Amino acid sequence: MEKSKIGLIGLGVMGTNLARNIADKGHKISVYNRTVETMHEVVEKHGSENFVGFETLKEFVESLETPRKILIMVKAGKPVDMVIDSLKPLLDKDDVIVDCGNEHYLVTKKRFNELKGEGLHFVGCGVSGGEEGALHGPSIMPGGTKHSWDQLKDIFESIAAKDFDGGPCVSYIGEKGAGHFVKMVHNGIEYGVMQLMAEAYHLLKDIYGLDAGKMSEIFKKFNEGKLRSYLFEIAVEVLAKKEDGKPIVDLILDKAAQKGTGKWTGMDALDRGVGISTITEAVFSRVMSSFKDLRVELSKNREKLKIEKDMKVDDFVLALEDALYCAMLISYAQGYHLIKIYSEENGRNIDLAEVSRIWEGGCIIRADILKELHEALTDNPKTEHIFEIKKIIEPLKGSLEALRTIVTLGVSNGIPLPGLSSALSYYDSMTSERLPANFLQGLRDYFGAHTYERVDKEGTFHTDW
């Protein structure tokens, strides 16, 4: 029997859809699932000459051409380790194991080093696009050895989504945990953008009293302009959907969940000393939303604010569009700066233009903004920060007045805007020649003799205050 080009373990919805995608593109794939009944159900429903299932792991491994390529689509953490441990006795030198889950990049780095010592190649591969993306074309971010990429390249390029020019939304990111690091930052940016959109919803609802249907129309207009993106596209449907005549969004409890990747991004940025305030504020906003009962109780003590509408609703909507564009660019800028610092510290040489390109299709944060970033970074590959690039900073500056206006209006009306206001503060901080950190250093030296540097001479100094 003809050997399969690739194998996949874990036939949940994501795993099944990814396997179907691979088979549909003409690659023979072997599949295995710990629960044999599930494997038979999936194969019965989707099986073909390119899609075959096996009851034992040994048969599964033996069905693959060498060097073997095996995708793991199980829950992150211990389940992945269990699959790897069960595979190792059955594999040969130079076989490739690919973890396509949302794993922390440091765990991926550890597995990479351990398996390298046993002659095996481990790939931490970010896959974005959800269930539909897995089936029809995701954005794929593989990290591992060049050998691994050479083995996977043809298959991954054939199943990936397409960028704005029709190219595959996949690119080799770098060694060890680089792929999962970039996917982690992708998710952090996603947190930031979603928080900005939620704040826009809050402003429209609480200041102007617009219903979900009207907001759906506004978001639809936004999605026809410079904010065109997958998240705005689905926002239109979320706001328009009704149940028994009522907008479903009005029936959803205001407690946001999270899977942890946004938190990982924030923690990594703090460890590296990189400011990503909009992303971290988005994480904290979800955390604060979880205290629903306490918020309800504390709201009884809140002062009653008189809503001041300084702008007509049509003017406000126009300003809001500009403000969201500006803040979204800033959220991307924060994520890109973190990737840049990680790349420099780990010798990864990650190409941010390529990262922008492969995010143009398939992934959750795909947006027209990414084409602007792709083109700008292609022309400026050595830039330290995207605020240096004229093609980015000029339109951003053109939208800043709107962002300041929206933040001022929201704050004066008691609307919490952690995302929009932190985006504005990030821009103001990163573009300020001088910040009040000298005062902070004086205080630190006073109470802890922490020392400081000076502007007028070299060295480290301490004052006997």
Side-chain angles (χ1 to χ4, degrees):
M1 187 173 79
E2 178 191 3
K3 299 273 188 178
S4 294
K5 287 188 174 296
I6 194 166
L8 183 143
I9 297 174
L11 292 172
V13 176
M14 280 287 291
T16 297
N17 282 359
L18 195 62
R20 290 173 61 193
N21 188 354
I22 291 170
D24 289 346
K25 297 303 187 298
H27 308 290
K28 187 172 183 180
I29 182 169
S30 297
V31 297
Y32 172 82
N33 197 75
R34 184 172 59 86
T35 306
V36 176
E37 291 79 8
T38 299
M39 181 274 292
H40 281 301
E41 289 173 7
V42 170
V43 171
E44 183 177 346
K45 189 172 182 180
H46 304 293
S48 65
E49 61 180 3
N50 284 333
F51 191 120
V52 292
F54 293 88
E55 293 190 354
T56 71
L57 200 58
K58 185 173 185 296
E59 291 174 320
F60 165 80
V61 170
E62 289 175 348
S63 73
L64 304 175
E65 65 180 28
T66 57
R68 301 177 183 90
K69 301 170 285 293
I70 299 173
L71 309 182
I72 299 176
M73 294 292 291
V74 301
K75 188 177 179 180
K78 189 175 180 180
V80 175
D81 287 325
M82 292 172 64
V83 171
I84 292 171
D85 288 342
S86 63
L87 279 172
K88 284 193 295 187
L90 303 172
L91 299 180
D92 298 318
K93 183 181 178 182
D94 283 339
D95 285 350
V96 180
I97 300 174
V98 187
D99 177 14
C100 293
N102 267 337
E103 185 61 89
H104 195 288
Y105 77 97
L106 290 177
V107 176
T108 297
K109 180 179 178 181
K110 179 174 179 287
R111 290 173 179 150
F112 176 96
N113 290 330
E114 289 175 349
L115 290 171
K116 182 179 180 181
E118 300 183 39
L120 299 172
H121 296 262
F122 185 72
V123 175
C125 184
V127 178
S128 180
E131 298 171 11
E132 287 300 304
L135 180 60
H136 299 296
S139 174
I140 308 175
M141 296 151 259
T145 60
K146 278 290 185 69
H147 166 85
S148 303
W149 173 238
D150 290 341
Q151 301 304 312
L152 297 165
K153 185 173 184 288
D154 289 346
I155 295 174
F156 278 2
E157 287 186 344
S158 70
I159 67 169
K162 302 301 181 187
D163 64 27
F164 291 127
D165 294 322
C169 289
V170 58
S171 187
Y172 174 65
I173 302 297
E175 283 216 337
K176 301 185 178 180
H180 273 154
F181 184 89
V182 168
K183 176 56 163 57
M184 177 189 77
V185 176
H186 163 286
N187 286 23
I189 295 171
E190 176 186 311
Y191 271 62
V193 173
M194 290 175 69
Q195 177 62 29
L196 298 172
M197 295 170 67
E199 290 172 18
Y201 164 85
H202 198 170
L203 289 163
L204 291 166
K205 183 176 177 63
D206 280 26
I207 294 181
Y208 288 92
L210 301 185
D211 61 28
K214 181 60 178 175
M215 284 189 274
S216 178
E217 294 173 11
I218 290 171
F219 274 58
K220 184 177 181 181
K221 273 196 168 183
F222 286 170
N223 195 49
E224 292 168 352
K226 58 188 175 184
L227 296 178
R228 192 165 75 94
S229 62
Y230 172 73
L231 284 170
F232 273 93
E233 178 185 321
I234 65 172
V236 173
E237 297 188 29
V238 168
L239 290 165
K241 190 72 172 177
K242 292 185 177 182
E243 183 179 284
D244 297 327
K246 297 178 181 178
I248 288 182
V249 71
D250 291 344
L251 303 175
I252 298 175
L253 184 66
D254 57 324
K255 287 173 63 173
Q258 55 179 309
K259 292 290 184 69
T261 47
K263 180 180 74 174
W264 294 347
T265 311
M267 292 171 66
D268 189 82
L270 286 169
D271 288 340
R272 293 184 195 282
V274 180
I276 58 165
S277 53
T278 304
I279 293 171
T280 50
E281 285 291 355
V283 177
F284 283 129
S285 293
R286 295 195 190 190
V287 171
M288 292 183 73
S289 77
S290 69
F291 292 95
K292 175 64 176 178
D293 293 341
L294 179 58
R295 288 190 290 113
V296 170
E297 188 63 29
L298 295 177
S299 71
K300 298 173 184 176
N301 299 324
R302 181 179 170 127
E303 72 281 15
K304 300 298 182 183
L305 292 174
K306 182 181 178 182
I307 297 297
E308 298 288 346
K309 301 176 186 177
D310 297 335
M311 305 171 67
K312 293 181 179 178
V313 64
D314 290 344
D315 294 333
F316 176 81
V317 169
L318 288 174
L320 183 61
E321 181 177 19
D322 279 344
L324 285 169
Y325 172 80
C326 184
M328 283 173 65
L329 259 180
I330 292 169
S331 184
Y332 278 92
Q334 293 174 15
Y336 279 41
H337 193 210
L338 181 56
I339 295 174
K340 179 76 173 179
I341 298 301
Y342 163 83
S343 180
E344 290 175 349
E345 290 180 351
N346 290 275
R348 294 286 177 262
N349 197 30
I350 296 175
D351 186 342
L352 287 173
E354 266 295 275
V355 170
S356 304
R357 185 191 67 76
I358 67 174
W359 286 351
E360 287 180 2
C363 73
I364 304 301
I365 62 171
R366 60 186 185 265
D368 282 8
I369 281 176
L370 284 160
K371 187 168 181 61
E372 299 173 36
L373 291 167
H374 175 205
E375 293 172 351
L377 287 160
T378 298
D379 295 337
N380 301 271
K382 301 297 184 182
T383 188
E384 286 298 311
H385 194 287
I386 67 170
F387 286 177
E388 295 176 330
I389 304 174
K390 187 175 181 180
K391 191 172 183 178
I392 297 299
I393 198 65
E394 289 302 322
L396 190 150
K397 287 194 296 185
S399 301
L400 271 172
E401 184 180 350
L403 180 56
R404 295 189 194 282
T405 298
I406 294 299
V407 169
T408 300
L409 181 62
V411 170
S412 66
N413 282 289
I415 306 295
L417 301 176
L420 289 165
S421 59
S422 66
L424 181 57
S425 291
Y426 177 86
Y427 171 82
D428 287 338
S429 295
M430 287 299 286
T431 58
S432 289
E433 182 180 354
R434 189 171 176 82
L435 293 170
N438 54 316
F439 175 65
L440 294 176
Q441 285 298 89
L443 295 175
R444 293 181 71 245
D445 190 58
Y446 185 105
F447 66 70
H450 292 297
T451 73
Y452 54 83
E453 296 176 86
R454 295 175 62 119
V455 298
D456 56 345
K457 49 189 171 183
E458 297 290 327
T460 303
F461 300 88
H462 166 64
T463 293
D464 185 359
W465 300 93

